[in-house]
Amino acid sequence: MTNEQTPSMLEKFNQWISESITVKLASIGILMLLLLIPSQWVIFMMEERESRAESSMEEIFSKWSGRQLLSGPILVLPYEIEKKETMEVNKRLVMQTNTYIEKLFVLPEELNIQANIEPTILHRGIFDAAVYQSVIQHQVKFQLPEESKSGIKVEKIRWKDAYLIYSVSDQRGISDLPAITYNNKPLQAEPSQNIGILVERKLAVNNYDVSMEDSYLQVDKRVHSTGFKIPLNWEQPSDISGDISIHLNIKGSEELFFLPLGKNTRVKAKGNWANPSFDGEFLPTNREVTDSAFTADWKILHFNRAFDEFWTQPEKKLEGGEFGLKLKIPADQYQKSIRTAKYGQLIIMLTFLALFLVEVIKKIRIHPFQYLLIAAALIIYYTLLISLSEQTGFNIAYVIASTLTIILVSFYSRTFLSTLSLTLLFAILLVSFYG
């Protein structure tokens, strides 16, 4: 007669652990919590690649020429002003009249701008940046403000000292000498680091926050006073009504913006670029974008802007009202990859759930280490995705990376799934997860 040995408490406990569905679910849950760490590392890696791409573009911009904001021209009229002041002479207070020179800044009555933009793409490693060369033609007319509004008498204006100022945010972009004419007579321009006004520019920079669904805009404000001055050598008040033409060859990077300085401002821009982004505080009244080129027209009145037609205070800051276009390269693979990686835990959870159901229904033993290896493959998928997307674009990279990952995990699952039909079913589920 054979004596059957009764299982010990330890053996019963081990058997309960190996067969308990609750323990299995708990171990899978703990494993998923641990996998949050490498999943977050992958997202950080993607953000670092996006930051590297942006820094490479900025490096190209710094060597070519930066984003341009063109503001001008503005007419500057020096005038005499008399002030009565109390002076001490021989220990006596004497009232005396002194003459000072101040400046009247006048914005154009009519400002017509035609911009012909020739974009090109520069490369640094695997990263691309959009730059451009442009020809900017201005037709300008001024009108003297009424004395009742300005408080300045015409006879007090020093017409021979009148000059124009023109603000260029990055002077390195002036690729040829400005050609300026007044009534068809050529004028000379001189560069200046302080033209007498301040122009504030708002730069909107895309930043991605992993705690948010979308990217957000961080506004960076920069003030500049660079540009050039144009002496006019006028002789009489009627000279202000003459025709002024300014021809500029400007190069820049990614953006070309203008300020609506005219009482009536009209801008016509065209270029060979299929993906322009019209931005700023004013959108074009008319636009046409084809597969290879674009045209856009703006018409802005002085009612729409945030500054006066004339002023006398020095170093006045012009802010707000800028408008123009951006030459964007369709390279959104980083944000798409980050958004895809945010769903990584969901893909892993669904995969684990499918394996768990197979394990429970078919009574197949799957070791936790096998769960871990499959999860590792699903996480490495995202590094493959970002690597390929930098070379081929997101859509193609997604197809390739998903296909390779599904094949890898499916072949590995064949080692512990009992039948080929189960393996094919598991592969179909993976396709639906990534589809």
Side-chain angles (χ1 to χ4, degrees), residues 114-360:
Q114 290 188 347
N116 189 3
I117 304 165
E118 297 181 2
T120 187
I121 296 178
L122 298 182
H123 309 278
R124 188 166 189 85
I126 63 173
F127 305 111
D128 300 330
V131 300
Y132 62 85
Q133 292 182 334
S134 64
V135 177
I136 315 293
Q137 184 70 35
H138 305 69
Q139 298 295 331
V140 191
K141 290 188 73 69
F142 286 94
Q143 182 175 324
L144 186 65
E146 297 178 8
E147 183 178 331
S148 59
K149 295 181 179 180
S150 65
I152 300 171
K153 296 181 179 180
V154 176
E155 58 270 18
K156 294 295 184 179
I157 297 176
R158 303 178 68 165
W159 295 100
K160 289 186 177 180
D161 298 329
Y163 61 94
L164 298 174
I165 57 175
Y166 195 104
S167 172
V168 181
S169 58
D170 192 342
Q171 284 184 298
R172 297 172 306 156
I174 303 177
S175 55
D176 203 352
L177 293 176
I180 304 111
T181 61
Y182 168 73
N183 287 340
N184 296 322
K185 295 180 181 179
L187 300 175
Q188 298 296 321
E190 294 295 334
S192 175
Q193 295 299 312
N194 185 2
I195 60 175
I197 62 169
L198 300 174
V199 179
E200 182 180 88
R201 184 182 181 197
K202 298 177 182 178
L203 295 176
V205 181
N206 274 321
N207 289 277
Y208 196 89
D209 188 344
V210 297
S211 65
M212 301 174 64
E213 178 66 22
D214 296 309
S215 61
Y216 64 94
L217 291 179
Q218 176 182 349
V219 177
D220 181 18
K221 295 183 178 180
R222 298 180 184 178
V223 178
H224 64 271
S225 186
T226 56
F228 54 88
K229 298 180 179 180
I230 309 164
L232 295 170
N233 298 316
W234 285 347
E235 297 181 356
Q236 53 192 353
S238 60
D239 291 341
I240 197 173
S241 60
D243 295 325
I244 298 174
S245 174
I246 300 177
H247 180 95
L248 298 178
N249 291 325
I250 296 289
K251 65 180 183 179
S253 299
E254 192 179 41
E255 298 180 7
L256 178 60
F257 277 66
F258 304 90
L259 274 187
L261 298 183
K263 192 172 184 178
N264 292 290
T265 301
R266 294 180 176 86
V267 176
K268 294 183 178 181
K270 63 179 181 178
N272 298 322
W273 193 258
N275 298 286
S277 174
F278 303 109
D279 205 352
E281 297 192 15
F282 303 99
L283 294 178
T285 53
N286 297 293
R287 72 180 78 177
E288 182 180 356
V289 180
T290 66
D291 293 337
S292 59
F294 71 89
T295 59
D297 299 337
W298 288 264
K299 181 180 180 181
I300 303 168
L301 302 177
H302 66 297
F303 292 100
N304 311 133
R305 67 191 186 200
F307 30 87
D308 300 325
E309 297 179 39
F310 61 88
W311 63 88
T312 56
Q313 63 268 35
E315 305 296 328
K316 179 180 175 64
K317 182 189 290 185
L318 302 181
E319 54 183 326
E322 64 267 23
F323 65 94
L325 57 95
K326 298 179 181 179
L327 304 176
K328 287 296 186 181
I329 298 177
D332 55 353
Q333 65 266 19
Y334 297 106
Q335 291 191 14
K336 286 184 177 180
S337 297
I338 292 173
R339 289 186 179 184
T340 303
K342 289 177 64 177
Y343 293 98
Q345 282 296 311
L346 177 61
I347 299 296
I348 294 174
M349 183 186 70
L350 292 175
T351 304
F352 281 6
L353 178 61
L355 291 175
F356 174 75
L357 292 176
V358 170
E359 188 174 0
V360 171

